[in-house]
Amino acid sequence: MTAVETQITYSNSYTIQHEEAYMIQEDDWDRDLLLDPAWEKQQRKTFTAWCNSHLRKAGTQIENIEEDFRNGLKLMLLLEVISGERLPKPDKGKMRFHKIANVNKALDFICSKGVKLVSIGAEEIVDGNVKMTLGMIWTIILRFAIQDISVEETSAKEGLLLWCQRKTAPYRNVNVQNFHISWKDGLALCALIHRHRPDLIDYSKLRKDDPIGNLNTAFEVAEKFLDIPKMLDAEDIVNTPKPDEKAIMTYVSCFYHAFAGAEQAETAANRICKVLAVNQENEKLMEEYEKLASELLEWIRRTIPWLENRVSEQTMRAMQQKLEDFRDYRRVHKPPRVQEKCQLEINFNTLQTKLRLSNRPAFMPSEGKMVSDIANAWKGLEQVEKGYEEWLLTEIRRLERVDHLAEKFKQKCSMHEAWTAGKEDLLSQKDYETASLMEIRALMRKHEAFESDLAAHQDRVEQIAAIAQELK
């Protein structure tokens, strides 16, 4: 952290240097008011209450701000509480040099946090210098309660002012422009409370002409329900032309930390819920992937043996039924599985993208269920499917030819049977034994004609024999 140099004038001998604009007094600040003890009274009360709001966490408190920090012990304790860090072990002695040593340890710690203290020495704090003590406490408040406030790229005083403006913008009679007169009527404080806890204040019943009532309402509600101690007096604020800016800033910063902390916690809770929702969605996608992968692989496992069954049927009707079953598989059963495979790949890629964006490890499916495993199984299915289709078409063409040959064989056999009908009886007759020479000559001519006809039918017999051989 860079050094923070503060310059705030409390007296001719006391300055703190700071580089930030919010640490420099406004140019229009009334010099007479700086010399008025009213600012000291408001700062005493506010700074004391602010210190006690932290010291009570350690089981102690202060009564007199310039007296109770003189030995440095409670000052060191305050710094430990608000920073959450351990300071060097304090000196337990009661001598002046022990007190100076303890205060120096506290001042060294403040410097280690980037604040450069100028003209503030341990001796002034030990001696009970009011202005120096108040200046030191204001520096602590700035560093630990205001400096880290950040709203829309503005920080510290400007950030706190912008936060107040954003929160009170919708409220009537509220126009926060600074940390002094904008808060005199109490409506800005009530608006801040109502914006975050509308159950605590009925803003519609507040009146601008009742500043003391409004301020006391805000003080009482904040103390009772928000654990913000009363740090200001309503009469002091109303009766002062320009309330002390440091006192108002200190008190208002308590509201910022109370409400902004709750908002941050709510934001964190919402973020956790969102992360849980994303994780649940991712787990659901993982489960869906595993389920779809298992079902698809099981279907492929059952389908491949059916496609590998190449036992040919004996009839064309049976083979045509096989072909129709295959076409039904292609039209009805396979398309949903194609969609499942595509959805599986989409789910896998979507899941991996979600996990990568949320900085989570990549999803590793169960063994044998990787996208590559499914792609290989699907490739094997389509290869078997292609082979089955080719076999079916080949078998059907073969059966068609067999049916054609069988019909041709039948026709040729019928024609041959028709030709041979009666020929054997005719040849077995012995009418030549009683025939005359002329009749014998006629029978010989008739036999010669039969032999010629038989030679002509020999080709048909050979064709029948060839068809029969092919049918085998």
Side-chain angles (χ1 to χ4, degrees):
M1 184 182 297
T2 58
V4 179
E5 297 185 349
T6 312
Q7 180 161 3
I8 307 174
T9 303
Y10 288 92
S11 67
N12 292 332
S13 61
Y14 162 58
T15 60
I16 305 175
Q17 293 183 350
H18 196 300
E19 293 175 344
E20 301 292 340
Y22 67 83
M23 301 290 279
I24 302 174
Q25 298 299 306
E26 297 179 3
D27 294 336
D28 62 348
W29 188 271
D30 187 355
R31 292 289 301 174
D32 293 334
L33 186 61
L34 282 176
L35 303 177
D36 193 321
W39 71 271
E40 182 180 312
K41 178 182 178 183
Q42 291 179 21
Q43 286 188 21
R44 273 175 177 271
K45 180 174 179 63
T46 302
F47 292 179
T48 299
W50 185 86
C51 292
N52 283 335
S53 70
H54 295 286
L55 286 172
R56 68 183 181 184
K57 298 173 185 176
T60 187
Q61 64 178 12
I62 60 172
E63 298 292 340
N64 187 306
I65 197 165
E66 70 270 20
E67 288 293 329
D68 293 347
F69 283 140
R70 290 179 63 183
N71 63 9
L73 296 177
K74 288 188 177 180
L75 180 59
M76 294 179 69
L77 181 61
L78 173 66
L79 291 171
E80 287 188 340
V81 171
I82 61 178
S83 69
E85 300 179 26
R86 297 290 296 177
L87 271 69
K89 187 176 181 181
D91 291 8
K92 295 298 184 180
K94 297 182 179 181
M95 303 294 289
R96 177 178 173 80
F97 73 88
H98 291 127
K99 298 176 182 180
I100 292 175
N102 290 335
V103 174
N104 273 327
K105 291 175 183 178
L107 296 179
D108 289 343
F109 180 78
I110 296 173
C111 290
S112 73
K113 295 304 176 182
V115 179
K116 186 175 181 181
L117 301 175
V118 178
S119 300
I120 291 185
E123 291 81 2
E124 288 83 1
I125 305 300
V126 172
D127 290 339
N129 186 308
V130 178
K131 288 181 172 52
M132 289 293 182
T133 303
L134 291 176
M136 178 188 64
I137 298 301
W138 173 238
T139 302
I140 293 172
I141 293 172
L142 279 174
R143 172 60 187 83
F144 292 99
I146 298 177
Q147 180 179 313
D148 292 336
I149 293 175
S150 178
V151 179
E152 297 182 13
E153 299 183 357
T154 62
S155 59
K157 176 183 176 180
E158 288 76 14
L160 182 60
L161 183 62
L162 181 60
W163 179 77
C164 295
Q165 291 171 339
R166 294 283 186 269
K167 296 301 181 180
T168 61
Y171 291 84
R172 59 179 174 82
N173 297 325
V174 177
N175 183 19
V176 177
Q177 296 298 324
N178 49 56
F179 287 108
H180 37 82
I181 59 176
S182 294
W183 304 83
K184 284 190 68 172
D185 59 13
L187 291 177
L189 282 173
C190 290
L192 270 183
I193 296 172
H194 184 269
R195 181 63 181 271
H196 297 90
R197 290 290 304 275
D199 57 310
L200 299 181
I201 290 180
D202 187 352
Y203 190 84
S204 63
K205 294 183 178 180
L206 300 178
R207 303 195 324 272
K208 188 174 180 63
D209 59 0
D210 184 20
I212 291 180
N214 298 336
L215 287 167
N216 283 328
T217 296
F219 296 157
E220 291 169 5
V221 169
E223 187 169 31
K224 183 176 180 180
F225 297 101
L226 305 178
D227 199 28
I228 298 176
K230 183 179 179 182
M231 300 184 182
L232 301 164
D233 283 325
E235 291 78 6
D236 292 341
I237 295 176
V238 172
N239 296 329
T240 303
K242 181 181 283 187
D244 182 68
E245 184 181 50
K246 303 176 188 63
I248 298 294
M249 282 181 64
T250 301
Y251 187 57
V252 172
S253 71
C254 294
F255 286 87
Y256 173 84
H257 290 293
F259 292 134
E263 290 174 352
Q264 291 169 0
E266 183 178 358
T267 301
N270 291 336
R271 189 179 295 113
I272 291 172
C273 290
K274 185 177 180 181
V275 170
L276 289 175
V278 170
N279 288 342
Q280 290 175 350
E281 184 178 352
N282 290 342
E283 289 177 1
K284 183 178 179 182
L285 284 174
M286 293 178 191
E287 292 174 0
E288 288 180 357
Y289 178 89
E290 292 282 342
K291 183 173 179 290
L292 280 175
S294 298
E295 292 176 353
L296 184 58
L297 289 170
E298 176 62 21
W299 178 80
I300 293 173
R301 186 189 65 79
R302 294 195 312 268
T303 303
I304 286 179
W306 173 67
L307 294 172
E308 287 178 336
N309 181 12
R310 308 294 169 83
V311 177
S312 180
E313 301 293 341
Q314 298 300 314
T315 65
M316 176 62 73
R317 179 182 293 276
M319 287 304 296
Q320 288 287 1
Q321 184 60 50
K322 274 184 175 291
L323 180 61
E324 186 59 32
D325 291 343
F326 178 72
R327 288 172 177 169
D328 188 59
Y329 153 81
R330 279 270 184 86
R331 290 192 307 265
V332 179
H333 300 289
K334 186 180 179 183
R337 302 301 179 176
V338 174
Q339 292 181 359
E340 287 181 8
K341 179 176 177 291
C342 293
Q343 188 61 48
L344 200 64
E345 294 172 354
I346 291 172
N347 286 3
F348 182 82
N349 293 331
T350 300
L351 179 58
Q352 298 296 45
T353 300
K354 284 177 173 287
L355 292 172
R356 184 173 64 255
L357 291 177
S358 57
N359 295 320
R360 298 290 303 279
F363 169 58
M364 291 296 294
S366 303
E367 185 177 355
K369 296 180 183 178
M370 294 287 292
V371 171
S372 57
D373 297 326
I374 295 169
N376 290 334
W378 190 265
K379 183 179 179 181
L381 172 73
E382 292 193 324
Q383 288 175 345
V384 174
E385 179 184 306
K386 181 180 179 183
Y388 185 71
E389 182 181 26
E390 292 173 351
W391 173 77
L392 274 177
L393 295 176
T394 301
E395 283 298 299
I396 288 174
R397 286 194 293 269
R398 185 185 68 80
L399 286 176
E400 286 176 346
R401 176 167 176 76
V402 168
D403 285 351
H404 174 73
L405 289 173
E407 184 62 27
K408 188 176 180 181
F409 180 82
K410 182 179 178 181
Q411 291 177 358
K412 288 184 177 294
C413 286
S414 296
M415 291 173 62
H416 185 69
E417 286 177 356
W419 179 80
T420 59
K423 294 292 191 294
E424 186 176 354
D425 292 338
L426 182 63
L427 293 173
S428 63
Q429 291 179 4
K430 296 182 179 182
D431 51 356
Y432 60 85
E433 293 180 352
T434 58
S436 62
L437 178 60
M438 186 176 289
E439 290 174 340
I440 289 175
R441 286 178 178 173
L443 288 173
M444 287 182 66
R445 287 194 297 273
K446 188 176 181 179
H447 185 72
E448 288 173 357
F450 171 77
E451 286 182 343
S452 297
D453 195 16
L454 178 62
H457 277 79
Q458 184 63 35
D459 291 340
R460 184 176 298 167
V461 172
E462 290 177 358
Q463 289 176 6
I464 292 172
I467 292 172
Q469 184 65 32
E470 188 171 352
L471 287 174
K472 288 181 180 181

